Amino acid sequence: MTVHLARLLVLAVIFVNGWTDAPNAIATAVGSGALSFRKAVMIAAACNFAGAALACLCFPAVADTIGELVTFADPRPAAAALNAALLSIVLWAVAAWRFGLPTSESHALLAGLSGAAAALGAGAAQLSAGAWLRALAGLALSLPAGVSAGRLFRRLLAGRVRRPASWQKGAAALTALLHGVQDGQKFLALLLLTGGLDTNTSASRLSLALLTAGVMALGTALGGRPIVEKVGSELASLSPADGLAADLGAGFVLTVCSVLGLPASTTHAKVSAICGAGQGADRRVMGQMAGAWALTFPACGAMAFLLTKAMMG
């Protein structure tokens, strides 16, 4: 029963990720007026599905890194710990969405797993130093690399692109595709982990990837308008050319990290690329986002720790 609950919670996290994280991919296209919100959401849903479905064939290293983060000695406490970690992600993401703040489910995942592992103790859960270094490297690089890439593409595109709004539609679709590649692999790893807790499970990696893609696309299709407005309209003033530069900058960061097998935060890559490519970033909005990001690790880690203790008690 505990393992079945873990699978349901993984699907809930995937749905919430599509609902609250994928809108970052289309925020610039909506904010600059290149796409309407509803049309952008449909494009993002389709591209998220494609990215998550194809990633298991093209970029399996991201899922492998997440799957190696924690090794559990016993299936029963492992399932309880995983449930606690996943529930902390869902609660945190929904709370942030309520205030229109984009948060990184990637950071929340690392925080939840670390908090749950700490609650079990060293004898029941072992952390892989190599996998954690790869994961932290990818997440830490998202912010500075996004800012630099956004600035670089703004300079490269200045006065050289005709009808940037048309190009931005394709760039938004590409960003959504890459979000599916990155986050689809992270949560596919969790589905594979729950399969490892139950010897009766025989689902293939491809079938689980398709399930992940479908649930993520469904969450995206419902839209995350508060986050789209915060990122695309309130964070910085974006012309179509600025929005295109931000999309290409974020896409570049996500592609490099995917090829290298480094889990990256779509939220951090996109928001930082907007700050690099946009004009006059709003410091108040930046402060709100930075505050939410700073609280993600301690909040999710603490929730997962306490929930694990409660479930094991």
Side-chain angles (χ1 to χ4, degrees), residues 63-119:
D64 293 340
T65 296
I66 297 298
E68 295 168 6
L69 289 173
V70 183
T71 301
F72 296 103
D74 189 298
R76 182 180 175 274
L82 188 57
N83 288 338
L86 294 168
L87 187 55
S88 71
I89 298 170
V90 173
L91 293 174
W92 181 251
V94 172
W97 167 85
R98 173 64 180 80
F99 295 98
L101 294 173
T103 56
S104 171
E105 272 75 40
S106 303
H107 279 111
L109 173 60
L110 293 185
L113 288 175
S114 61

Side-chain angles (χ1 to χ4, degrees), residues 17-313:
N17 176 264
W19 178 36
T20 63
D21 198 357
N24 291 309
I26 59 171
T28 47
V30 175
S32 67
L35 285 169
S36 67
F37 175 77
R38 182 47 50 190
K39 187 173 182 179
V41 164
M42 292 300 104
I43 291 174
C47 291
N48 266 289
F49 180 90
L54 294 175
C56 67
L57 302 175
C58 303
F59 303 105
V62 174
D64 293 340
T65 296
I66 297 298
E68 295 168 6
L69 289 173
V70 183
T71 301
F72 296 103
D74 189 298
R76 182 180 175 274
L82 188 57
N83 288 338
L86 294 168
L87 187 55
S88 71
I89 298 170
V90 173
L91 293 174
W92 181 251
V94 172
W97 167 85
R98 173 64 180 80
F99 295 98
L101 294 173
T103 56
S104 171
E105 272 75 40
S106 303
H107 279 111
L109 173 60
L110 293 185
L113 288 175
S114 61
L120 290 181
Q126 298 291 331
L127 303 180
S128 168
W132 275 85
L133 284 174
R134 293 196 302 274
L136 292 174
L139 295 175
L141 287 172
S142 300
L143 284 172
V147 172
S148 298
R151 288 175 178 169
L152 174 63
F153 277 100
R154 186 180 68 184
R155 294 192 189 104
L156 292 175
L157 298 177
R160 294 183 175 90
V161 178
R162 295 181 180 180
R163 301 176 62 190
S166 298
W167 286 96
Q168 195 181 0
K169 296 174 185 178
L174 175 63
T175 309
L177 180 79
L178 291 168
H179 171 269
V181 168
Q182 268 285 332
D183 285 22
Q185 283 297 286
K186 294 166 192 169
F187 298 114
L188 169 63
L190 296 183
L191 281 177
L192 292 170
L193 181 58
T194 62
L197 301 177
D198 184 358
T199 56
N200 295 320
T201 299
S202 59
S204 69
R205 189 183 184 105
L206 179 58
S207 64
L208 292 177
L210 292 173
L211 176 62
T212 300
V215 174
M216 182 181 289
L218 178 61
T220 304
L222 294 181
R225 189 182 287 271
I227 295 174
V228 170
E229 292 176 349
K230 180 78 72 174
V231 175
S233 301
E234 298 179 27
L235 177 59
S237 176
L238 292 173
S239 67
D242 294 336
L244 177 60
D247 286 337
L248 292 176
F252 175 79
V253 173
L254 294 175
T255 299
V256 171
C257 287
S258 297
V259 171
L260 296 177
L262 300 177
S265 169
T266 305
T267 299
H268 288 192
K270 188 59 177 286
V271 169
S272 59
I274 289 174
C275 292
Q279 306 293 324
D282 190 315
R283 294 186 179 275
R284 179 185 62 84
V285 176
M286 290 175 61
Q288 291 174 349
M289 293 182 183
W293 296 347
L295 288 174
T296 294
F297 211 99
C300 289
M303 279 194 289
F305 182 92
L306 294 174
L307 287 169
T308 301
K309 289 292 188 182
M311 291 179 183
M312 294 302 296

